[in-house]
Amino acid sequence: MACIWYGVQAYIGGHCVYIMIRAIWKSWDREKMPGPFDPEASSVPEYVSFFLFWLGSLPAIWFPVHKIRHLFTVKAFFVPPAAIGFMVWCIVRAGGVGQIIKQPNTIHGSDLAWEFVKGIMSSIGNFATLIVNDCDFARFARRPKDALWSQLIAIPTCFAVTSFIGIIVSSSSTAIFGHAIWDPLDILAKFIDDGSSAERFGVFVIALAFSLAQLAANIAANSVSAGSDLTALLPRFVNIRRGGYICAAIGLAMCPYNLLTSSSNFTTYLSAYSVFLSSIAGVMATDYYIVRKGYLDVRGLYDARSSGPYYYTMGINWRAYAAYISGILVTIVGFAGAVGQSVPIGAVYLYNVNFFCGFIIASIMYWALCTIWPIPAVSTCWMEVGDVLDDIDVAYDAKLGDNCNDATSTREGKLGDRADV
C-alpha cells in the first residue's frame, strides 16, 4: 500500500512540476502533446514532469529521516503560507467568500448524510498508512507521551486546516469558472491561461511549495514505512534505504495516473485502502493494549528459535491472520459494489463505514482467539515498561543458555514484584 501511495503522491508532485514548467513556458501544454496516453489520464508533458519529480526524489531517499529533517523544517515554513495565499487568491477571484459558502447543496437527506460519512472515511483512508506505520517514527521519541501529545494536537489541527483550505479552493471553482473542479492543482493550472506574468510567478511559487510538500510527505509517509516493512521481511537483503528505492520503483511502474482520472476513482482507491489497513490496525491495537497490556519481551523479539515467545505456530501467528481476514470479509462485498458490481444495500452501508467495521471486527476476533488459545509473553496488568534486564545482549547459543535462563528468571521476579506493588 505504501508503494502504491508513493506513486500516487509522486504523480501529484509531478503535476506540480508540470504547472511550474507551464508557468514559464505556456507551450508545455497537455492539450498540444497528448501522446499515447488516455486523454483523461495523462499526457506527454504530465508524464515527463512526473518522471522528473520521481527522479529528483531519489537522492532524498538516500538519507535517514533524522539527517533530512531540515527539509521538513523548510516545508513547515514555506508550505502553509503558500496554501493560505492560494486560498485567499481563490476567494478574491470568486468575488468573496460569500459567493462560495452560499452555494446550495445538490443532494439532500440521507444521501447527504452518507456522503458526509464517506468523506470522513476517505479522510481516514488518507491517513491509514500512518496509523499502521506510526511506530516507524514514534520509536524515536524519548518517552511515550512525547509521541502522544504532539500527534494528538498536530494531526487533528493540521488535517482540519488542510481540509478547510481544500474545500474552499475547490468550491470556489464553481463561482470562478462556472463548473466544479475537484483537484485544487487543476484550478491553479487554469490561473496560467488568463494570468499576467506576475500571476504566473505566483502560480510557480505555489506549485513549488506544493511539490515540496509532496516530496516531504512521500519520504516520511511512504518510503520510510515501506523500507521498514521490507527490512523486517527480508533483513538479510534489504535495509530501509534499499526498501525505499524498491518502493520508488514500484511507484513508478504502477501507473498512478490511472487512479487520479476523477474524484470518484480517487475516493474509491482511498476507501479500498481502508478496507485492508483497518484490519491491520485493529489487530495491532488489540494485541498491544488489550492482550499484552503494553508488555513486550525485548529479548524474545530477537529470538528466532521455536522456543521463543514470538515463534507462535511454525513462526506464524495464525490468530492475527484469521482476525485480519475476518475484518476484510465484512466490507469486501461492499467494495465490489464500489467498483461496479451489484450487491445488497446492507453491504454498501457497511462499506461506507469500512475503516470502523474492519477495525472493530478484527479487534474482537483477535481478542476472542487469544482468549481461547492464549499466547505467551503477556501481562495480567498494564506493564508498558519493557524488559527488566541487567544484560541486554540478545545473542544466544549453548554457552549463553544459563545466562539467558538467569536473566529470564530475574525479569519474571522483578515483574512479579512490580505487579505486587
Side-chain angles (χ1 to χ4, degrees):
M1 288 296 186
C3 296
I4 297 175
W5 194 240
Y6 185 98
V8 170
Q9 290 197 302
Y11 192 78
I12 296 174
H15 195 181
C16 296
V17 174
Y18 165 78
I19 295 173
M20 292 165 58
I21 297 175
R22 190 162 183 269
I24 302 173
W25 299 288
K26 294 180 69 173
S27 59
W28 190 253
D29 191 348
R30 71 186 310 272
E31 302 294 337
K32 298 179 180 178
M33 294 179 281
F37 301 94
D38 181 350
E40 294 184 358
S42 187
S43 63
V44 171
E46 289 175 315
Y47 189 85
V48 171
S49 301
F50 161 57
F51 184 78
L52 291 175
F53 180 88
W54 178 87
L55 192 65
S57 302
L58 297 183
I61 299 177
W62 180 267
F63 300 97
V65 174
H66 67 277
K67 289 188 178 180
I68 204 172
R69 63 186 183 275
H70 300 298
L71 172 67
F72 297 92
T73 303
V74 174
K75 171 194 170 185
F77 285 99
F78 184 29
V79 175
I84 294 173
F86 182 35
M87 181 183 68
V88 173
W89 192 359
C90 290
I91 292 174
V92 172
R93 291 202 54 168
V97 70
Q99 299 295 324
I100 300 174
I101 62 177
K102 290 182 180 179
Q103 298 179 48
N105 53 304
T106 57
I107 56 177
H108 307 274
S110 62
D111 291 337
L112 177 61
W114 279 114
E115 289 299 324
F116 186 84
V117 171
K118 287 190 285 187
I120 295 175
M121 290 299 104
S122 295
S123 299
I124 297 176
N126 182 42
F127 198 70
T129 180
L130 287 180
I131 293 175
V132 174
N133 293 101
D134 184 65
C135 51
D136 294 334
F137 307 97
R139 64 191 179 92
F140 292 107
R142 289 177 295 177
R143 296 177 298 272
K145 66 179 182 180
D146 292 343
L148 171 64
W149 289 107
S150 59
Q151 296 180 83
L152 190 62
I153 296 172
I155 290 175
T157 303
C158 294
F159 263 69
V161 172
T162 304
S163 299
F164 176 78
I165 293 174
I167 291 170
I168 294 296
V169 169
S170 299
S171 299
S172 69
S173 62
T174 303
I176 299 173
F177 304 108
H179 62 278
I181 301 175
W182 75 278
D183 189 349
L185 292 179
D186 287 341
I187 300 175
L188 184 63
K190 284 185 173 294
F191 288 177
I192 298 175
D193 297 328
D194 57 353
S196 63
S197 58
E199 290 176 322
R200 286 162 58 187
F201 176 74
V203 170
F204 180 91
V205 173
I206 294 172
L208 176 63
F210 289 170
S211 65
L212 178 63
Q214 293 302 317
L215 173 62
N218 242 359
I219 295 171
N222 300 315
S223 66
V224 172
S225 61
S228 300
D229 292 342
L230 290 172
T231 301
L233 184 64
L234 300 169
R236 292 188 179 183
F237 308 102
V238 180
N239 55 25
I240 293 179
R241 179 183 296 159
R242 293 174 184 173
Y245 284 116
I246 293 173
C247 173
I250 295 175
L252 177 66
M254 51 83 62
C255 302
Y257 44 81
N258 290 322
L259 296 174
L260 298 171
T261 54
S262 67
S263 60
S264 60
N265 283 356
F266 189 54
T267 53
T268 299
Y269 161 68
L270 289 178
S271 297
Y273 211 57
S274 297
V275 168
F276 297 100
L277 293 186
S278 60
S279 297
I280 298 176
V283 171
M284 291 174 61
T286 304
D287 180 75
Y288 185 77
Y289 288 103
I290 298 178
V291 176
R292 301 188 188 277
K293 294 183 173 59
Y295 174 70
L296 290 176
D297 184 346
V298 177
R299 185 190 295 277
L301 292 172
Y302 297 88
D303 191 346
R305 296 172 296 181
S306 60
S307 59
Y310 301 104
Y311 188 80
Y312 302 111
T313 304
M314 300 179 66
I316 298 174
N317 185 1
W318 61 268
R319 305 163 191 81
Y321 281 98
Y324 169 66
I325 295 174
S326 299
I328 293 176
L329 292 178
V330 175
T331 55
I332 198 66
V333 177
F335 174 67
V339 296
Q341 301 299 317
S342 178
V343 299
I345 189 63
V348 175
Y349 290 153
L350 285 175
Y351 178 73
N352 289 342
V353 289
N354 49 64
F355 189 89
F356 293 142
C357 281
F359 186 94
I360 294 173
I361 295 300
S363 298
I364 294 175
M365 181 63 70
Y366 185 74
W367 171 81
L369 292 174
C370 290
T371 300
I372 299 172
W373 294 280
I375 60 175
V378 298
S379 175
T380 57
C381 60
W382 182 251
M383 193 65 68
E384 194 180 44
V385 295
D387 274 339
V388 184
L389 295 175
D390 297 323
D391 178 14
I392 60 172
D393 186 0
V394 297
Y396 50 81
D397 55 27
K399 194 173 182 180
L400 290 174
D402 294 336
N403 293 335
C404 290
N405 293 332
D406 293 340
T408 302
S409 300
T410 302
R411 171 177 57 81
E412 292 175 349
K414 291 183 177 180
L415 286 177
D417 293 340
R418 289 197 175 197
D420 293 336
V421 173

